[in-house]
mmCIF file of all heavy atoms in Angstrom:
data_model
loop_
_atom_site.group_PDB
_atom_site.id
_atom_site.type_symbol
_atom_site.label_atom_id
_atom_site.label_comp_id
_atom_site.label_asym_id
_atom_site.label_seq_id
_atom_site.Cartn_x
_atom_site.Cartn_y
_atom_site.Cartn_z
ATOM 1 N N GLU A 80 148.186 65.562 14.116
ATOM 2 C CA GLU A 80 147.008 64.741 14.371
ATOM 3 C C GLU A 80 146.563 63.988 13.117
ATOM 4 O O GLU A 80 146.638 64.492 12.019
ATOM 5 C CB GLU A 80 145.849 65.611 14.873
ATOM 6 C CG GLU A 80 146.183 66.430 16.098
ATOM 7 C CD GLU A 80 146.480 65.587 17.311
ATOM 8 O OE1 GLU A 80 145.947 64.483 17.428
ATOM 9 O OE2 GLU A 80 147.272 66.040 18.152
ATOM 10 N N GLU A 81 146.100 62.796 13.291
ATOM 11 C CA GLU A 81 145.525 61.993 12.203
ATOM 12 C C GLU A 81 144.074 61.755 12.533
ATOM 13 O O GLU A 81 143.778 61.311 13.635
ATOM 14 C CB GLU A 81 146.248 60.641 12.099
ATOM 15 C CG GLU A 81 147.661 60.744 11.647
ATOM 16 C CD GLU A 81 147.798 61.080 10.176
ATOM 17 O OE1 GLU A 81 146.868 60.802 9.399
ATOM 18 O OE2 GLU A 81 148.834 61.632 9.808
ATOM 19 N N PRO A 82 143.140 62.023 11.743
ATOM 20 C CA PRO A 82 143.119 62.567 10.378
ATOM 21 C C PRO A 82 143.093 64.082 10.332
ATOM 22 O O PRO A 82 142.468 64.678 9.459
ATOM 23 C CB PRO A 82 141.806 62.004 9.848
ATOM 24 C CG PRO A 82 140.907 61.951 11.024
ATOM 25 C CD PRO A 82 141.801 61.620 12.188
ATOM 26 N N GLY A 83 143.748 64.754 11.213
ATOM 27 C CA GLY A 83 143.743 66.207 11.272
ATOM 28 C C GLY A 83 143.245 66.705 12.620
ATOM 29 O O GLY A 83 143.536 67.800 13.006
ATOM 30 N N TYR A 84 142.476 65.892 13.306
ATOM 31 C CA TYR A 84 142.036 66.264 14.647
ATOM 32 C C TYR A 84 141.638 65.019 15.427
ATOM 33 O O TYR A 84 141.391 63.970 14.857
ATOM 34 C CB TYR A 84 140.870 67.249 14.603
ATOM 35 C CG TYR A 84 139.604 66.676 14.020
ATOM 36 C CD1 TYR A 84 138.659 66.061 14.837
ATOM 37 C CD2 TYR A 84 139.338 66.740 12.660
ATOM 38 C CE1 TYR A 84 137.494 65.521 14.315
ATOM 39 C CE2 TYR A 84 138.178 66.212 12.137
ATOM 40 C CZ TYR A 84 137.262 65.608 12.960
ATOM 41 O OH TYR A 84 136.119 65.076 12.433
ATOM 42 N N THR A 85 141.615 65.146 16.731
ATOM 43 C CA THR A 85 141.145 64.066 17.588
ATOM 44 C C THR A 85 140.053 64.625 18.500
ATOM 45 O O THR A 85 140.056 65.812 18.836
ATOM 46 C CB THR A 85 142.262 63.475 18.463
ATOM 47 O OG1 THR A 85 142.826 64.516 19.261
ATOM 48 C CG2 THR A 85 143.341 62.834 17.629
ATOM 49 N N VAL A 86 139.156 63.760 18.895
ATOM 50 C CA VAL A 86 138.071 64.145 19.787
ATOM 51 C C VAL A 86 138.174 63.304 21.058
ATOM 52 O O VAL A 86 138.312 62.091 20.995
ATOM 53 C CB VAL A 86 136.693 63.945 19.122
ATOM 54 C CG1 VAL A 86 135.578 64.258 20.100
ATOM 55 C CG2 VAL A 86 136.576 64.801 17.864
ATOM 56 N N THR A 87 138.132 63.978 22.198
ATOM 57 C CA THR A 87 138.180 63.318 23.499
ATOM 58 C C THR A 87 136.927 63.706 24.265
ATOM 59 O O THR A 87 136.555 64.874 24.278
ATOM 60 C CB THR A 87 139.420 63.773 24.297
ATOM 61 O OG1 THR A 87 140.582 63.559 23.505
ATOM 62 C CG2 THR A 87 139.538 63.025 25.603
ATOM 63 N N GLU A 88 136.292 62.724 24.897
ATOM 64 C CA GLU A 88 135.121 62.989 25.717
ATOM 65 C C GLU A 88 135.375 62.486 27.118
ATOM 66 O O GLU A 88 136.078 61.498 27.318
ATOM 67 C CB GLU A 88 133.887 62.294 25.135
ATOM 68 C CG GLU A 88 133.497 62.792 23.766
ATOM 69 C CD GLU A 88 132.235 62.136 23.248
ATOM 70 O OE1 GLU A 88 131.270 61.988 24.036
ATOM 71 O OE2 GLU A 88 132.212 61.774 22.057
ATOM 72 N N GLY A 89 134.827 63.174 28.090
ATOM 73 C CA GLY A 89 135.002 62.746 29.471
ATOM 74 C C GLY A 89 134.187 63.586 30.418
ATOM 75 O O GLY A 89 133.222 64.253 30.026
ATOM 76 N N LYS A 90 134.616 63.557 31.663
ATOM 77 C CA LYS A 90 133.948 64.327 32.715
ATOM 78 C C LYS A 90 134.945 65.332 33.275
ATOM 79 O O LYS A 90 136.153 65.119 33.225
ATOM 80 C CB LYS A 90 133.457 63.405 33.830
ATOM 81 C CG LYS A 90 132.381 62.470 33.372
ATOM 82 C CD LYS A 90 131.866 61.626 34.516
ATOM 83 C CE LYS A 90 130.765 60.702 33.967
ATOM 84 N NZ LYS A 90 130.062 60.008 35.013
ATOM 85 N N TYR A 91 134.391 66.424 33.821
ATOM 86 C CA TYR A 91 135.242 67.408 34.462
ATOM 87 C C TYR A 91 134.715 67.727 35.859
ATOM 88 O O TYR A 91 133.540 67.564 36.139
ATOM 89 C CB TYR A 91 135.362 68.690 33.634
ATOM 90 C CG TYR A 91 134.114 69.541 33.585
ATOM 91 C CD1 TYR A 91 133.896 70.547 34.526
ATOM 92 C CD2 TYR A 91 133.153 69.352 32.597
ATOM 93 C CE1 TYR A 91 132.764 71.322 34.485
ATOM 94 C CE2 TYR A 91 132.017 70.130 32.550
ATOM 95 C CZ TYR A 91 131.826 71.117 33.496
ATOM 96 O OH TYR A 91 130.696 71.889 33.454
ATOM 97 N N VAL A 92 135.644 68.156 36.712
ATOM 98 C CA VAL A 92 135.307 68.565 38.068
ATOM 99 C C VAL A 92 136.065 69.851 38.346
ATOM 100 O O VAL A 92 137.244 69.963 38.021
ATOM 101 C CB VAL A 92 135.707 67.486 39.102
ATOM 102 C CG1 VAL A 92 135.486 67.984 40.517
ATOM 103 C CG2 VAL A 92 134.960 66.197 38.855
ATOM 104 N N VAL A 93 135.380 70.808 38.958
ATOM 105 C CA VAL A 93 136.029 72.033 39.414
ATOM 106 C C VAL A 93 135.984 72.027 40.930
ATOM 107 O O VAL A 93 134.914 71.859 41.517
ATOM 108 C CB VAL A 93 135.329 73.291 38.862
ATOM 109 C CG1 VAL A 93 136.001 74.547 39.402
ATOM 110 C CG2 VAL A 93 135.329 73.291 37.347
ATOM 111 N N SER A 94 137.146 72.174 41.545
ATOM 112 C CA SER A 94 137.165 72.228 43.007
ATOM 113 C C SER A 94 136.354 73.429 43.450
ATOM 114 O O SER A 94 136.467 74.507 42.882
ATOM 115 C CB SER A 94 138.594 72.339 43.530
ATOM 116 O OG SER A 94 139.153 73.579 43.154
ATOM 117 N N VAL A 95 135.499 73.211 44.425
ATOM 118 C CA VAL A 95 134.662 74.303 44.911
ATOM 119 C C VAL A 95 135.133 74.803 46.271
ATOM 120 O O VAL A 95 134.625 75.783 46.775
ATOM 121 C CB VAL A 95 133.173 73.881 45.002
ATOM 122 C CG1 VAL A 95 132.611 73.658 43.625
ATOM 123 C CG2 VAL A 95 133.001 72.642 45.861
ATOM 124 N N MET A 96 136.085 74.129 46.837
ATOM 125 C CA MET A 96 136.645 74.544 48.116
ATOM 126 C C MET A 96 138.020 75.149 47.869
ATOM 127 O O MET A 96 138.796 74.625 47.088
ATOM 128 C CB MET A 96 136.773 73.347 49.065
ATOM 129 C CG MET A 96 135.465 72.676 49.400
ATOM 130 S SD MET A 96 134.321 73.725 50.277
ATOM 131 C CE MET A 96 135.135 73.871 51.841
ATOM 132 N N GLY A 97 138.278 76.223 48.546
ATOM 133 C CA GLY A 97 139.611 76.809 48.482
ATOM 134 C C GLY A 97 139.831 77.666 47.254
ATOM 135 O O GLY A 97 138.993 77.779 46.383
ATOM 136 N N ASP A 98 140.976 78.271 47.247
ATOM 137 C CA ASP A 98 141.364 79.130 46.155
ATOM 138 C C ASP A 98 142.843 78.891 45.935
ATOM 139 O O ASP A 98 143.606 78.844 46.900
ATOM 140 C CB ASP A 98 141.099 80.582 46.532
ATOM 141 C CG ASP A 98 141.169 81.523 45.353
ATOM 142 O OD1 ASP A 98 140.825 81.075 44.254
ATOM 143 O OD2 ASP A 98 141.570 82.675 45.548
ATOM 144 N N PRO A 99 143.334 78.684 44.783
ATOM 145 C CA PRO A 99 142.633 78.857 43.518
ATOM 146 C C PRO A 99 141.766 77.654 43.151
ATOM 147 O O PRO A 99 141.936 76.565 43.688
ATOM 148 C CB PRO A 99 143.777 79.001 42.516
ATOM 149 C CG PRO A 99 144.893 78.219 43.106
ATOM 150 C CD PRO A 99 144.739 78.351 44.601
ATOM 151 N N ARG A 100 140.872 77.866 42.223
ATOM 152 C CA ARG A 100 140.012 76.797 41.722
ATOM 153 C C ARG A 100 140.838 75.903 40.800
ATOM 154 O O ARG A 100 141.692 76.377 40.070
ATOM 155 C CB ARG A 100 138.836 77.356 40.926
ATOM 156 C CG ARG A 100 138.024 78.380 41.648
ATOM 157 C CD ARG A 100 137.192 77.752 42.701
ATOM 158 N NE ARG A 100 136.302 78.757 43.261
ATOM 159 C CZ ARG A 100 135.585 78.586 44.309
ATOM 160 N NH1 ARG A 100 135.622 77.451 44.945
ATOM 161 N NH2 ARG A 100 134.816 79.534 44.765
ATOM 162 N N VAL A 101 140.562 74.603 40.837
ATOM 163 C CA VAL A 101 141.279 73.658 39.991
ATOM 164 C C VAL A 101 140.279 72.941 39.100
ATOM 165 O O VAL A 101 139.273 72.419 39.578
ATOM 166 C CB VAL A 101 142.071 72.640 40.839
ATOM 167 C CG1 VAL A 101 142.722 71.594 39.954
ATOM 168 C CG2 VAL A 101 143.123 73.353 41.682
ATOM 169 N N LEU A 102 140.547 72.946 37.797
ATOM 170 C CA LEU A 102 139.731 72.253 36.803
ATOM 171 C C LEU A 102 140.441 70.947 36.461
ATOM 172 O O LEU A 102 141.592 70.963 36.018
ATOM 173 C CB LEU A 102 139.576 73.114 35.546
ATOM 174 C CG LEU A 102 138.941 72.462 34.325
ATOM 175 C CD1 LEU A 102 137.485 72.100 34.600
ATOM 176 C CD2 LEU A 102 139.047 73.394 33.117
ATOM 177 N N THR A 103 139.770 69.833 36.699
ATOM 178 C CA THR A 103 140.344 68.516 36.404
ATOM 179 C C THR A 103 139.496 67.831 35.356
ATOM 180 O O THR A 103 138.277 67.735 35.507
ATOM 181 C CB THR A 103 140.413 67.646 37.673
ATOM 182 O OG1 THR A 103 141.117 68.365 38.693
ATOM 183 C CG2 THR A 103 141.118 66.338 37.397
#
Side-chain angles (χ1 to χ4, degrees):
E80 304 296 331
E81 292 287 336
Y84 66 91
T85 58
V86 176
T87 306
E88 297 183 43
K90 294 183 180 189
Y91 71 91
V92 174
V93 178
S94 66
V95 292
M96 299 297 291
D98 193 32
R100 306 287 187 190
V101 175
L102 171 65
T103 306

